[in-house]
Amino acid sequence: MSLRSSAPRVAALLLLVAFVTAPQLFSFAFEPLTANNAPAIYNQGSLLSLTLSHLRIVFLATLASTMLALALGIFVTRPSGHEFLPLSRSLVNIGQTFPPIAVLAIAVPLVGFGEKPTFIALFLYGLLPIFENTLSGLTGVSPQALDAAKGMGMSPRQRLFQVELPLALPVILAGIRLSVIISLGTATIGSTVAAKGLGEVIIAGLQSNNVAFVLQGGLVVALLAVLIHDGLGIAERVAARRSGRPLDEAR
């Protein structure tokens, strides 16, 4: 990666860190968007704390989605699990069938307000892209590579962990990247059920008709999405180079 190509990423990261740690420094940019002496910078909580809480719930939900989707993907690509593929697809499609706000409405009476219903919504919503990419990655492994591994005396378990998963990793990472980006945006609605996150800033702006607040929450989410998307894209390219698999298969 050249210095010139990495400069925008570094600049975006520095801007994000500066804004969430010292937002008052940027008040001059948001003051024109306020009216009736409303505050230019969100003042009902720490932007840094809300950003970390937002990232935390997204990370935990994506981790849980990855573990289940990866396990299901491996299972249904084994001879003993082929017949469960339709059932598995139905399960992971649940999150995409219902909009996240509907999942929250169902989850709140069961688990209460806060992070738990948001976690459930993000977990369910993130399953499909990871599951489908796991399927694509594992079924796309070259039969010649599998035959060579079998000829070397590898057991099915060894072939899975030493051949199939490493070769499928770029495609799986592409699914995880998509899941993370979806969750970053979707997590903002968690604030409607009292979950800590950047949705608080956006909702506060909508309630008070303060465009500056709405823009601040949206700006931080957008910068996070761009940086994480870019970072996971780099991880995909590294994995693709190591596996020798064309990167366009992971997209």
Side-chain angles (χ1 to χ4, degrees):
M1 184 190 304
S2 67
L3 181 61
R4 181 175 297 179
S5 64
S6 64
R9 301 183 182 98
V10 174
L13 178 60
L14 292 176
L15 175 63
L16 175 62
V17 172
F19 183 68
V20 299
T21 55
Q24 293 298 333
L25 296 176
F26 299 83
S27 59
F28 69 92
F30 294 97
E31 283 174 355
L33 302 174
T34 62
N36 301 321
N37 295 318
I41 298 295
Y42 182 70
N43 59 356
Q44 300 171 29
S46 164
L47 275 179
L48 177 59
S49 176
L50 292 175
T51 300
L52 293 176
S53 296
H54 196 96
L55 288 173
R56 177 178 174 274
I57 190 66
V58 168
F59 171 78
L60 292 176
T62 303
L63 179 62
S65 296
T66 300
M67 292 173 65
L68 179 58
L70 191 59
L72 281 176
I74 291 172
F75 175 63
V76 298
T77 54
R78 305 305 97 184
S80 60
H82 283 164
E83 61 184 290
F84 294 97
L85 177 57
L87 176 61
S88 299
R89 273 213 165 100
S90 297
L91 288 174
V92 300
N93 270 293
I94 290 176
Q96 302 289 333
T97 302
F98 299 98
I101 195 67
V103 177
L104 290 178
I106 296 171
V108 165
L110 299 175
V111 298
F113 288 89
E115 285 191 352
K116 290 180 180 179
T118 306
F119 173 87
I120 293 171
L122 297 182
F123 165 71
L124 292 175
Y125 219 58
L127 285 171
L128 183 62
I130 303 174
F131 176 75
E132 290 296 342
N133 275 46
T134 299
L135 283 183
S136 297
L138 291 174
T139 57
V141 173
S142 167
Q144 290 81 5
L146 294 176
D147 289 340
K150 190 180 296 184
M152 293 170 61
M154 287 187 178
S155 66
R157 183 183 181 87
Q158 288 175 320
R159 291 197 298 272
L160 172 64
F161 287 101
Q162 297 180 31
V163 178
E164 293 181 74
L165 286 176
L167 289 175
L169 184 58
V171 187
I172 295 171
L173 284 174
I176 294 173
R177 173 167 54 90
L178 179 58
S179 181
V180 170
I181 300 308
I182 291 173
S183 292
L184 275 170
T186 306
T188 56
I189 67 170
S191 296
T192 61
V193 292
K196 289 293 182 181
L198 292 165
E200 277 191 26
V201 185
I202 297 173
I203 291 173
L206 293 173
Q207 291 176 338
S208 61
N209 198 29
N210 190 330
V211 179
F213 285 3
V214 176
L215 183 59
Q216 286 159 42
L219 177 64
V220 176
V221 172
L223 284 174
L224 287 172
V226 169
L227 289 169
I228 293 174
H229 181 279
D230 210 28
L232 290 175
I234 293 172
E236 281 177 50
R237 290 191 287 273
V238 171
R241 283 198 298 268
R242 290 181 176 177
S243 67
R245 191 167 191 170
L247 184 60
D248 57 4
E249 290 185 21
R251 297 184 182 279

